[in-house]
């Protein structure tokens, strides 16, 4: 190649997608020469350029509630390079970059379901405990609400209220 340079360096691009959209502050750690930790928001991306051929890892650390890691999708790599998810930690990518490789992967996070409990009194308000399952979330007197409460997917969940009647007995209703 007369009078020029040959660029043998690779690039690694990590993209972020959340469902629903709008997730922020997802942290990543890395290993390998030329890579460093970074943060991404929904729709964002981080590109490491001038990466030398070699082995690298990119790991999304545990996302803050209410977000959970869902998957890595749409990985592409120039022939000869490889990308694999770690067997023990699917949020970790093991990457082997060859000369001139172009590597791109998208991390996907989903928001855990959320429940809001609303109490609307008919007639004279009394003091009640609003519960999700058996846990008291809030004690209210009058119209009020609590939430959003983040729950694990899979349910089912019961919402109930409990109050002590004039006779001293505990009464509950379940929805």
């Amino acid at each position: 190649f007369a009078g020029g340079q040959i660029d043998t360096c690779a690039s690694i691009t990590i993209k972020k997608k959340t469902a629903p959209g709008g997730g922020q502050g997802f942290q990543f750690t890395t290993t390998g020469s030329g890579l460093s930790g970074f943060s991404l928001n929904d729709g964002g991306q981080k590109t490491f350029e001038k990466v030398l051929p070699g082995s690298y890892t990119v790991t999304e650390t545990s996302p803050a509630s209410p977000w959970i890691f869902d998957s890595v999708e749409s990985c592409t790599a120039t022939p000869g390079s490889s990308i694999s998810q770690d067997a023990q930690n699917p949020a970790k990518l093991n990457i082997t970059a060859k000369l001139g490789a172009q590597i791109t992967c998208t991390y996907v996070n989903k928001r855990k379901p959320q429940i809001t409990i609303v109490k609307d009194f008919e007639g004279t308000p009394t003091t009640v405990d609003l519960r999700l399952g058996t846990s008291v979330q809030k004690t209210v007197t009058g119209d009020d609400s609590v939430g959003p409460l983040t729950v694990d997917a899979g349910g089912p969940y019961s919402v109930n209220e409990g109050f002590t009647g004039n006779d001293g007995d505990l009464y509950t209703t379940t929805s």
Side-chain angles (χ1 to χ4, degrees):
F1 188 76
Q5 295 180 354
I6 297 175
D7 185 3
T8 59
C9 294
S11 70
I12 298 173
T13 300
I14 303 297
K15 297 180 178 184
K16 169 54 68 188
K17 182 168 87 173
T18 65
Q24 296 184 359
F26 296 93
Q27 302 296 315
F28 293 82
T29 60
T30 63
T31 64
S33 180
L35 273 62
S36 58
F38 60 97
S39 176
L40 289 176
N41 297 331
D42 180 42
Q45 72 178 42
K46 172 70 175 174
T47 300
F48 295 97
E49 296 180 347
K50 305 228 180 274
V51 174
L52 297 175
S55 296
Y56 300 89
T57 66
V58 176
T59 306
E60 182 179 69
T61 59
S62 296
S65 186
W67 297 97
I68 57 173
F69 169 79
D70 182 65
S71 62
V72 176
E73 65 180 27
S74 307
C75 286
T76 60
T78 304
S81 296
S82 65
I83 309 163
S84 64
Q85 282 182 274
D86 189 79
Q88 269 66 50
N89 179 2
K92 178 180 180 180
L93 294 178
N94 299 307
I95 299 168
T96 301
K98 298 295 182 185
L99 290 173
Q102 301 288 315
I103 297 166
T104 303
C105 285
T106 301
Y107 277 78
V108 180
N109 293 81
K110 291 187 177 176
R111 187 179 67 203
K112 288 183 175 182
Q114 295 179 314
I115 296 173
T116 298
I117 305 170
V118 178
K119 176 62 181 170
D120 185 15
F121 281 96
E122 295 288 331
T124 305
T126 186
T127 300
V128 297
D129 294 329
L130 299 179
R131 296 186 182 111
L132 179 59
T134 58
S135 299
V136 173
Q137 301 297 319
K138 189 174 188 180
T139 300
V140 300
T141 303
D143 295 345
D144 206 341
S145 66
V146 59
L149 307 170
T150 300
V151 296
D152 289 324
Y157 295 96
S158 65
V159 175
N160 61 71
E161 61 183 350
F163 65 95
T164 304
N166 292 334
D167 58 5
D169 289 340
L170 178 64
Y171 296 90
T172 61
T173 58
T174 302
S175 301

